[in-house]
Amino acid sequence: MGAEKLSQDAVQAKLADRPGWSVAEGKLHRELQFADFNEAWGFMNRVALYAEQMNHHPEWFNVYRTVRIDLATHDAGGITELDFALAAKIDALVG
């Protein structure tokens, strides 16, 4: 699935379907807040299962109840369809 870097226009168009996501430093970016550390960690575990199935892994950072996620396809040098596919799976988990 989609390992070709998307144009900036294509990325902006696709962002319309991904509320909560933005582009930061050339990557899809989202920050999420959970009730507590357990909920944040559980979310990360569920995302990890999708990421492993897709062989596409996020860059992320967790402190207590906050999870920051950055998605980019390093081999393509930017954002691809694969990043948007993982973003959609993440969105489905957070509702």
Side-chain angles (χ1 to χ4, degrees):
M1 176 188 285
E4 185 174 313
K5 182 179 175 180
L6 297 172
S7 70
Q8 287 183 357
D9 288 342
V11 168
Q12 290 304 313
K14 290 180 127 336
L15 277 174
D17 295 331
R18 300 268 67 90
W21 290 90
S22 62
V23 174
E25 298 182 22
K27 301 170 187 172
L28 288 183
H29 175 81
R30 184 159 186 195
E31 187 167 317
L32 298 161
Q33 298 288 322
F34 296 91
D36 56 26
F37 180 76
N38 251 0
E39 190 176 308
W41 193 261
F43 163 78
M44 292 175 72
N45 280 329
R46 289 187 300 279
V47 171
L49 294 174
Y50 283 128
E52 194 62 20
Q53 287 173 348
M54 297 172 73
N55 194 29
H56 190 59
H57 305 90
E59 295 176 21
W60 52 13
F61 182 77
N62 166 246
V63 174
Y64 184 53
R65 64 187 203 111
T66 301
V67 177
R68 287 194 304 254
I69 305 167
D70 290 308
L71 302 175
T73 304
H74 301 286
D75 292 346
I79 299 168
T80 68
E81 292 284 351
L82 195 54
D83 300 301
F84 278 100
L86 184 53
K89 298 237 183 233
I90 290 167
D91 288 348
L93 289 173
V94 294

